[in-house]
Amino acid sequence: MRLKVSKSKNSASFYVIKTVYENKKERTVTVEKLGTEAQLKEKYPDRDIYQWAKDYVAKLNRLEKEGIEPDVIAKFSPSKQIPSNVNVTFNGGYLFLQAIFYGLKLDVLCKEISKKYKFSFDLTSVLSRLIYARILDPGSKKSCYEFSDFFIEDRNFSLHHIYRALDVLFNESDFIQSFIYDNSLLLSKRNSSVLFYDCTNFFFEIEKEDDFRKYGFSKEHRPNPIVQMGLFMDGDGVPLAFSINPGNTNEQLTLKPLEKRIISDFSLSDFIVCTDAGLSSIANRKFNSFSNRFFVTTQSIKKLKGFLKDWALTVDNWKLVGSDKFFNINEIDENVFYDRTFYKERWINENGLEQRLIVTYSIKYRNYQRDVRNQQISRAVKVVDSNSKSIDKKGLNDYRRFIERTASTDCGEIAEHTTFSIDKEKILKEEMYDGFYGVCTNLDSDIKDIIEINSRRWEIEESFRIMKSEFKTRPVFLSIPERIQAHFTTCFVSLVIYRILEKKLNKKYTCNEIIDKLKKMNFYKTKVDGYIPGYVRDNLTDDLHEAFGFRTDMEILTTKMMKKIIKKTKS
């Protein structure tokens, strides 16, 4: 900073000015107007005004060297228009994502890949923007490119570089996944002793399938071609690895190839794989019965053999965890045991595989199932009463499954009209299983530990929900298979970074709260040297700053302060 004295015929004005650099160009800004010579003489009658001004600027420079920024004074005129086509509002929420991006050393990864392919564009800049935009403002690759203009740091790539980068990311997808796992260990411990696996699918807004985008069973029940994603997640809820397969692939066949890659590329061999029943074929269970691998999987009680089903549903011989006493679940006090989980277990042999069958019973879970069913029955009754044309459509969990169709007379003749009624027998059959839950495993561990492992499967289902809702991963607006898979690679990396962020915040906030706050952490760039925060400071912003070791919630951040923050996020 330096002193500037602007003299006119009748007076002199004193200013503190400094030179700032933006986009490799320098400009001079006024830090503070000290006043006119007459005003300062009136204020300091016993001082040499010129010497006082020099001493004041020297003090400001000394404080700045000590890291104490001076107050910034900016003047705004109600008679001046703002500049045309100049953006002055920038998002700073991405800085917290950037700290994790560089903490995972993804900049190092990008440099290694760049050397291998010898392209000239900045892959670090492209990949980071794809990830920040996927979390903060998900959309097409073009919208990602445009959203990059609203980050404090300038982008240094063109739109066509994004598509070139996708081709490279496809080739390096496996390497990226293993690299992220290795470097995530530098940020925090990872619970790789338990791995959760599940599958979902993503649709395309097209009508004709091709060799990759196939018609298959859509989780969203959409009549569009789909691709299928298999995802492994560690015991803390952080994604580990994924694979993309054609939409008509049998999801039971997707587990072993991805698990083999984890064993070879991630140097993991001792773990428990937890899945739902749909993914747990006998072949997959046997695969996780060798070396130090184990499985925990849900088991449909309805699909058990007759004698096992009878054993599972019998009302006596139930235990509580930590007790040797036996209970009859028809005789227990429901108020006393509302939140408790009863269990019974036995070893069974299915297709040559010894497994431990555990069945649990919970009054709370029973009541939840009945509440859901009663709501569905109420909807079914309304449809029957209104004689709706949509009655014939029904799925496994569709309320219309309770509607019975009668299309013949008592004499067996073809009826002129079809009648509908509530299928009471179906309701009674479903009620038999209320409160019961089955698990199969080859672990000989404490029952409490096994129940705890299986109870955390919801986190991988939540990961899919985040990808589909907050990240808007589908529909996918790409047609080349390689670029489609690269798109999912960026979505996977985005999910890893988000989960690590969530973990750093001790999982105190919901996904919607975190992402919404990051989106709103905007800054107004003043015409002098600084950025003014334009967001509401609250507990979440305080926790973010505390977790990452920098603050953006000052009344104003000078350009120098902002550069230090950016540098810290990349260190």
Side-chain angles (χ1 to χ4, degrees), residues 376-385 399-400 402-403 422:
Q376 293 174 335
I377 293 171
S378 296
R379 293 178 67 189
V381 169
K382 289 181 180 178
V383 171
V384 170
D385 291 343
Y399 68 91
R400 285 164 290 199
F402 296 122
I403 300 175
I422 299 299

Side-chain angles (χ1 to χ4, degrees), residues 204 206-216 223-226 246-248:
F204 294 75
I206 58 174
E207 308 235 344
K208 185 178 180 181
E209 67 177 7
D210 53 30
D211 291 338
F212 188 57
R213 299 171 292 179
K214 294 283 189 180
Y215 287 112
N224 303 93
I226 57 176
N248 61 351

